[in-house]
Amino acid sequence: MTPRPTHPAPQIPYEVEFTGMEDDELRDLLRDSSSLVSLKNDPPPSVLGLERRADSDRDRLQTALRSAGFYDAVLDIRVDAARTPAKVTVAVTPGTPYRFKTISIVSTDGAPLPGGDVTPRDIGLPVGERARAPQVVDAQSALLRRMTDRGHPFATVAERRVVVDHDDHSMDVTFSVDPGPLVMFGDTKIDGLASVDEGLIRGRLPWKQGDIYSPAKVDRARQQIAQLDVFDTVRVRLAEEPGPGGVTPVDVTLAEKLHRFIGASAFYSSEDGVGGSAYWGHRNLFGGAERLRLGVEVGRIGGDNGAAQGPRGSLDLPDIRLSANFRKPDFLAPRQSLILDFQVASEQPPAYDRVATIGSASLERQVTDQLKVSYGVSGERGRVRSNLREYQTGFIGVPLGIAWDGSDNLLNPSRGYRASLLATPWFPYAGDTDSIFTSFQINASAYRDLSDNGRYVAAARIGVGSTVGASLDQVPPDHRFYAGGGGSVRGYGFQKAGPRDIYGDPTGGRSLFEAGLELRVKVTETVGIVPFVDAGTVFDSAFPDFKEPLKVGAGIGARYYTDFGPLRADVAFPLNADSGDAKWQLYLSLGQAF
């Protein structure tokens, strides 16, 4: 038996046109609300089906118009089935928009609201604005947040009454609020600890039992506990029901991370070659979130032009640094860390050869969420050799640092600014140098989101360094300032954006000036391009006197955005290179340049 041929079901394709509106926002709202638009790719089987679809759209569109403040709008929906495709015309006469006339916020018992009146502007309902329904809903949420901020997290809106006056095209809104009890922090229960000391967690709670409840303090507790970096999960929540007299328990739920960790990183530049690091660590050594990290860094392997010139020779050995770092959080005071650091380094950058042992002990205090200060003592002993002189060094340093971070992201900022100052007096105690000198370095950067959605971000930075108390020859080469490289003036090799000696190697300087400008453009959610320009150099004088011409580099970079930060690839070209410098540089690393 021969099967009958099948035929596709009939369909009536159509187009939809909205007319009568000059407000693009209103037109978009109606299109988003229309089933005629959302089902356009699934046409009905008949003209009658299309007419029914158009009729069913009427209520949806009227509701959308009322939500936008147009309560007298007139709709005329017509179907022209004589055309192919058929055409549905939605003619809208919006009419006069209604506006908020009175906004009343009252307590259910008639008493004044705890903490004083809440004004319409406080909750985003200014009198005289167009009466949009979503604003009323958002205002209710804003009102409850206000009450929570005043210590009433169990407040409710018992009634929301909306009255529309068609005679004067206005809307009156009344919120009746049941504030609930004034809540105080009660007993704090901590769950999920396996080996971390509970006292460490309690020391990071920014409230005492009996304090008035504050959601800002709850958020701060969550952040401060997370900063210990020993937990995968941190939850801080008020109990679901108020306790007797408003004294309400708090639940802190934690999940510890694996204590041991390993990691590695790598970088590359076309002149200086490949470098990288590997490390092993423990993030809870003695139960108090103490962190121990042991690492090795190797750099400058296989660069094109990294070898020293002149009497130092050209062995082109890799830089090697062995390090041990210990951090004890909440040392003697909350949010104050003890940091012990020990390093052994063998380095052969373009400017000098160095073998040194370095140790330091410092305290780092997080004064606020943005402000951090540090102070301590460091000691070093080593040998540093340039083309012109060899130094036996032994110094005690007393570093003092202050840093402000008002940006919105550590590795990929789009708003805010950062600034830091580091001042270190250096006192010789051994070797062949006897001059006391002090170094200062100031860095600042700013970020602005030009598009308000992260698509176009302008970023700028400036850095200034100064050394006072000694001449250039009295300052060992490893304590001088240098410019050039992937984190400095791109387009130039490491340390090479500055004056050179007679052998063509960098001499360094007593002062430094650097600046950079980038435009970070996101092409997609994961891919971006970054045109940039950098400038800078070092000077023999104690402060930048600009007698040396600034070295300028420009280029373009690519960014691949990941959950742990952007992967960076920059190609840069020197605009006023010295003879013999490379014509371009390539840099690969993790994170933005600044």
Side-chain angles (χ1 to χ4, degrees), residues 337-367:
S337 297
L338 169 67
I339 303 169
L340 304 177
D341 193 80
F342 179 78
Q343 300 180 33
V344 177
S346 174
E347 303 170 326
Q348 294 82 33
Y352 55 82
D353 296 338
R354 178 197 192 203
V355 177
T357 302
I358 309 131
S360 66
S362 61
L363 294 177
E364 182 181 273
R365 184 170 182 79
Q366 194 77 42
V367 181

Side-chain angles (χ1 to χ4, degrees), residues 540-555:
D540 289 346
S541 55
F543 300 95
D545 58 12
F546 298 97
K547 290 182 179 180
E548 290 285 341
L550 294 180
K551 295 296 184 181
V552 182

Side-chain angles (χ1 to χ4, degrees), residues 424-448:
T424 308
W426 293 101
F427 302 92
Y429 71 91
D432 53 19
T433 57
D434 56 7
S435 297
I436 299 173
F437 58 91
T438 302
S439 61
F440 301 88
Q441 188 154 8
I442 300 172
N443 290 290
S445 56
Y447 312 91
R448 182 168 184 181

Side-chain angles (χ1 to χ4, degrees), residues 299-315:
R300 300 173 47 75
I301 301 175
D304 295 335
N305 192 26
Q309 309 299 315
R312 289 197 293 132
S314 56
L315 296 178

Side-chain angles (χ1 to χ4, degrees), residues 19-39:
T19 65
M21 293 169 292
E22 297 180 358
D23 187 336
D24 291 337
E25 182 182 351
L26 182 59
R27 180 182 291 104
D28 291 342
L29 172 64
L30 295 183
R31 292 188 65 86
D32 291 342
S33 305
S34 170
S35 62
L36 284 166
V37 174
S38 63
L39 298 176

